[in-house]
Each structure stands twice: as C-alpha cells, then as structure tokens.
Amino acid sequence: PDLPIDEQTGCLPYDPKWEFSKDRLRLGMILGQGAFGRVMKAEAIGIVDGEDVTVVAVKMVKDCTDKDQMMALLSELKILIHVGQHLNILNLLGAVTKDIRFGELYVIVEYCHFGNLRTYLIKNKAHFEDTMEDCENFMPDVKKEPVSSPNKKGPYYLNIAGGPMGSADVLGPSLTTKNLYCWAFQVARGMEFLASKKYIHRDLAARNVLLAEDNVVKICDFGLAKDLYKDPEYHKKGDGPVPVKWMALESFTHRIYTTKSDVWSYGIMLWELFSLGGNPYPGVEINEKFIGLLKSGYRMEKPQYASPEL
Ligand code: ADE
C-alpha cells in the first residue's frame, strides 16, 4: 500500500463503467505520435452528459501485437481510473477494451485545443507581453470558477496559435506574464492532486502539459506508457532513454523518484514557461559532466520573465 501507484498497476482493477463502444467513435487526424504510441483527434457520440458529440483525443499503440506496449497503455488506463478526476490533469472520458485480446485498446481522454505548452510558447512568443495586468486574480479560486478566464484582448491576434497540426483557431488565450503564472499555478494544483493520490509523474515538463479552452492547463502522459522516444530530450542511459535535464540528481544517480523529484521537474518546467519555451541549461551539453556540474551546485539563471520571488 505504500508503493506509488504506478508500481501497483498489475493489482489495479479496470472498471467497466468506462467502456465505450467503438461504433460511437469517429477517428480523425493524428495529434502526435512516438515510436510506440499514437494520439488521434476524434469525435465521440454521447461520451459526455449533455453533449451529443464531443471532440476527444484517443491514445492507442502503433503496433497492437506488441504486448509490452499494450500492457503499458493498459497501465495508464488503470492509473487514470485510480487517481480520479481533476481539472488540471488530462482526464479519462472512456475506453475501448472489449477486444483487447485482439490487440484493440483505445484510451479516450479530453482534447486540448491548443496543444502542449512548449510548442504553444515557441509559436506565440512573438506576441508575448510582459504584463501582469489584472494580476490580482491570477490565482484562480478553486471553489468558484476554477481558472481565470482567457485574456480576450483586442482582435485575437493569436490566431496563429494553432492547435496541434495547425488547426485553424480563431480565439486563443493571449500570452502575457500573467498567463504564465496562471498556468504555473494550475500545474502546481494538478501535481498536488497527483501527489495526494500517491502518484509520481516522473516526466513533468512543458511538453507534457496541454492547453485547453478557457486557459485551463492539463498535465498529461501518465503511467508506464511514457513514449520516451518522441523527443530528442530523452537521452539514452542504462536501460532506457531519460529526460536528463528535467531529472532530479537522485533520480539520475540512484533512480529514486518521489514527489520531491517531481518538484524538481516542476522547477525546470517553470524555467521553460518563463523563458517562453526555451531549452533548459542553454549552452550546456548533456554528457557525463552534466551531472557533475549539477552536483557541484551549478544551477540555471532565472529566466527572463520570472520575478526574483518565483
Ligand atoms: N496531443 C496529445 N494529446 C493531446 C490532447 N489530449 N489534446 C490535444 N492534443 C494532444
């Protein structure tokens, strides 16, 4: 019972109340993919109460004959069911598991219109305004409206934002320092929730935070199904690629992952946010010396748009 839940997925149950019929799912374009997994945009009929059709994201494995990948995705499904729902995590909507023995497994999650924060920041940094206007409200009240409303200023000049694969957006949240704080705060709330459920994420980074409508951000990529090959940030070490620049020292040296090592990754993610999608440790090469550098106390400088307090 004291193990983190991602080490207990074999014991976690699947609750059939999540089962969704494949006939009510219309798959669309690919939103993202790695070596093993694929996420597709889709329409689901009657998956959310009070909505006829809902745009969703569907996670699947590329090679359904690969048992390890199927098990990894199944573990992610079970983790999503076990941890439960929170505004700031990418919530489960349903699953297609009926024919899992024939290699069919779909995990249906919320669709986030603006894609991941790293790509969003890089695409929109030309429109960034360093302002905390209306900042008295940047920490949304959990009990009331859970997030601050999008900053709908002017003639929506951020329409180049584009969701994943360049979908044609008209309205988008504008990009100001206040937005960065709002997102940082929401990620903290999502991580606090995950920690309260004894879930250790192990891969918190701006690429794993998605931006949805109404300025809501959602932490994604749960479970053992982390598709570690999708990004050059994952460097090969030992028996798998690891996101070195986001890892706490003890994770790197002793493979120790805890809520505290997630907090370290959160710090690196803050650096990514407040540098508008910068690459952590700019100019520092990732090699054996990198860990020595960290051990000797080397740390990044404050990114441009972070306050000294942050
Ligand atoms: N890319 C990967 N997962 C996604 C999601 N849930 N929504 C939008 N884009 C995504």
Side-chain angles (χ1 to χ4, degrees):
D2 286 335
L3 286 174
I5 54 176
D6 56 332
E7 289 174 24
Q8 303 183 58
T9 53
C11 310
L12 291 176
Y14 171 66
D15 183 341
K17 82 168 191 205
W18 290 101
E19 193 65 22
F20 189 75
S21 165
K22 199 187 162 193
D23 315 333
R24 292 194 279 145
L25 206 54
R26 271 197 300 267
L27 293 179
M29 67 180 183
I30 295 175
L31 294 169
Q33 59 185 335
F36 305 124
R38 178 178 289 154
V39 181
M40 295 184 81
K41 192 173 176 177
E43 287 179 338
I45 299 167
I47 202 167
V48 172
D49 285 342
E51 261 180 39
D52 292 341
V53 180
T54 306
V55 179
V56 297
V58 179
K59 198 160 179 173
M60 58 194 76
V61 302
K62 270 183 167 172
D63 175 7
C64 60
T65 64
D66 184 334
K67 284 223 163 54
D68 289 344
Q69 285 309 305
M70 291 289 287
M71 291 310 290
L73 185 57
L74 185 61
S75 78
E76 176 161 7
L77 171 60
K78 288 175 168 189
I79 286 168
L80 284 169
I81 291 172
H82 183 81
V83 298
Q85 309 258 314
H86 187 276
L87 180 73
N88 300 118
I89 70 171
L90 190 67
N91 291 299
L92 181 68
L93 297 174
V96 179
T97 71
K98 186 168 63 66
D99 287 325
I100 193 168
R101 66 190 183 285
F102 304 123
E104 190 167 84
L105 174 60
Y106 292 162
V107 176
I108 309 167
V109 292
E110 296 168 311
Y111 173 70
C112 298
H113 192 74
F114 300 99
N116 78 68
L117 276 190
R118 178 181 150 78
T119 307
Y120 185 86
L121 286 168
I122 292 169
K123 275 191 190 166
N124 291 291
K125 66 192 215 185
H127 306 280
F128 178 73
E129 277 181 70
D130 190 7
T131 169
M132 289 291 283
E133 212 179 300
D134 304 328
C135 69
E136 72 281 356
N137 201 21
F138 83 84
M139 286 204 218
D141 188 333
V142 185
K143 288 182 206 83
K144 288 189 274 162
E145 198 50 47
V147 289
S148 75
S149 56
N151 195 344
K152 287 181 186 154
K153 263 201 248 161
Y156 307 118
Y157 49 85
L158 281 185
N159 64 359
I160 56 153
M165 313 294 283
S167 61
D169 299 311
V170 184
L171 300 181
S174 69
L175 191 51
T176 64
T177 318
K178 184 193 156 194
N179 284 119
L180 303 178
Y181 278 92
C182 178
W183 298 339
F185 182 70
Q186 292 182 63
V187 175
R189 263 202 329 224
M191 291 304 292
E192 175 189 51
F193 170 77
L194 291 176
S196 77
K197 302 287 178 178
K198 293 199 182 310
Y199 178 75
I200 300 164
H201 190 286
R202 300 168 195 246
D203 196 13
L204 180 59
R207 63 183 166 272
N208 286 331
V209 180
L210 299 174
L211 178 58
E213 313 270 10
D214 298 328
N215 228 9
V216 174
V217 297
K218 290 173 175 286
I219 301 160
C220 70
D221 220 354
F222 291 82
L224 311 176
K226 297 188 192 315
D227 206 341
L228 294 175
Y229 298 95
K230 71 185 168 193
D231 199 296
E233 290 306 339
Y234 297 92
H235 292 260
K236 222 168 162 54
K237 183 199 173 241
D239 48 12
V242 286
V244 178
K245 286 182 170 179
W246 283 260
M247 281 166 74
L249 264 175
E250 69 276 15
S251 307
F252 200 85
T253 56
H254 294 86
R255 299 188 187 197
I256 295 171
Y257 290 87
T258 60
T259 294
K260 290 174 184 176
S261 59
D262 272 353
V263 173
W264 179 286
S265 306
Y266 178 81
I268 308 296
M269 185 218 66
L270 284 183
W271 190 95
E272 293 181 274
L273 259 53
F274 286 84
S275 62
L276 306 180
N279 275 318
Y281 303 96
V284 178
E285 250 187 84
I286 295 299
N287 50 32
E288 304 73 54
K289 287 195 196 139
F290 177 69
I291 291 303
L293 205 61
L294 277 189
K295 275 188 182 161
S296 70
Y298 176 84
R299 296 294 183 268
M300 286 191 277
E301 279 177 39
K302 175 182 90 60
Q304 186 173 1
Y305 300 108
S307 65
E309 292 81 2
L310 184 81

